[in-house]
Amino acid sequence: MDARLKTLDIIYSVHETQVPEKKLACAKGCATCCTRNVTLTTLEGRRLFDWIATEAPHLMDLVRQESQKPRQIPTYTINGLTDLCMAGDEVPEEPSDPGWGACPLLSGEGLCQAYEARPFACRSMVSQSRCETGGFAEMDEITLTVNNVLMQYIEHTDDKGLTGNLTDILLLLENEDNRTAHEAETLTPPSDAFVANRPAQVLMVPPPHRDVVGKMMQEIQAKKG
């Protein structure tokens, strides 16, 4: 588990070098993308849960209070999506409505209360224009590729784990037996709210982006030692 968490932290740090802040419209208090539809792996959930347990245990009360509200429930993972596309299969729809409300970790001032340990979906959701103006994030193609590849890498690192909504993953990992099973790589989906992770069979990299992605992967491997 320590090795997997170290890899996750390296991915987070390398990602920060790939998305220069000077090109972004994102700013403190901008929270249009901070909905209750954030999904993540159990590895990211473990990093987030451990931070909450140590730094802000009251946040789990907020997660429990919000747990009856509607939210996106994933039916496939990023590597599962890649496998479907490679096989030419139809991709199932996932109901996801931003109108369902804000992330339970978001403060009334529009600030993430667990920003330091936020999952990759939150780190990678960046925009070159204000989302509340156009209603969507404006992201260039290389940023999208980098995000997809790193999401694949994170899932690959946690290929014996699960993917689920932020609320469900945190509530799952609140149970010590589930944390132990995750560490032992024996955790199985306890309900339809979770999807089993998969190893990455192929990375989604368009030919023009191969040099950038190749250098990024080399940097990750070098930091892993």
Side-chain angles (χ1 to χ4, degrees):
M1 175 57 71
D2 288 344
R4 282 180 278 162
L5 288 171
K6 177 186 176 182
T7 298
L8 179 65
D9 291 339
I10 290 171
I11 292 171
Y12 284 171
S13 67
V14 168
H15 178 259
E16 290 180 0
T17 69
Q18 299 295 319
V19 188
E21 293 184 5
K22 63 181 180 180
K23 295 184 179 180
L24 304 179
C26 307
K28 189 174 183 179
C30 173
T32 304
C33 63
C34 302
T35 71
R36 68 176 75 258
N37 298 323
V38 173
T39 60
L40 66 159
T41 63
T42 35
L43 183 63
E44 299 164 89
R46 182 58 186 268
R47 172 60 77 219
L48 177 57
F49 176 80
D50 287 349
W51 186 92
I52 289 175
T54 302
E55 303 293 337
H58 69 282
L59 293 180
M60 286 305 299
D61 293 331
L62 298 180
V63 172
R64 283 189 289 272
Q65 290 168 16
E66 299 281 302
S67 63
Q68 299 305 313
K69 294 183 178 180
R71 55 189 175 272
Q72 180 179 357
I73 303 299
T75 56
Y76 51 83
T77 67
I78 184 69
N79 287 335
L81 172 62
T82 304
D83 292 346
L84 287 171
C85 293
M86 291 296 295
D89 294 335
E90 184 177 350
V91 177
E93 291 188 15
E94 288 183 353
S96 177
D97 185 352
W100 285 338
C103 173
L105 302 181
L106 193 68
S107 73
E109 293 75 36
L111 302 177
C112 177
Q113 299 180 82
Y115 187 81
E116 181 179 331
R118 67 199 187 283
F120 188 75
C122 305
R123 296 169 188 266
S124 64
M125 182 52 71
V126 296
S127 180
Q128 294 172 310
S129 61
R130 298 289 290 189
C131 297
E132 66 267 28
T133 302
F136 59 89
E138 181 185 357
M139 194 180 302
D140 61 35
E141 292 183 358
I142 185 62
T143 299
L144 183 61
T145 294
V146 165
N147 289 346
N148 284 335
V149 167
L150 291 181
M151 281 192 288
Q152 287 190 261
Y153 200 152
I154 290 170
E155 182 184 345
H156 184 84
T157 304
D158 193 33
D159 64 343
K160 299 297 192 300
L162 309 175
T163 287
N165 186 280
L166 180 144
T167 293
D168 298 309
I169 290 288
L170 284 178
L171 293 177
L172 177 78
L173 294 176
E174 190 176 30
N175 181 286
E176 185 177 359
D177 289 340
N178 289 334
R179 295 198 301 275
T180 299
H182 180 229
E183 291 173 8
E185 299 187 328
T186 59
L187 185 63
T188 57
S191 73
D192 291 341
F194 304 92
V195 185
N197 290 340
R198 301 185 182 199
Q201 303 295 335
V202 61
L203 296 178
M204 296 191 291
V205 185
H209 301 162
R210 286 176 182 169
D211 286 346
V212 171
V213 171
K215 291 177 182 178
M216 179 181 68
M217 300 298 276
Q218 290 175 1
E219 182 179 357
I220 292 173
Q221 291 304 118
K223 289 189 174 184
K224 286 174 62 177

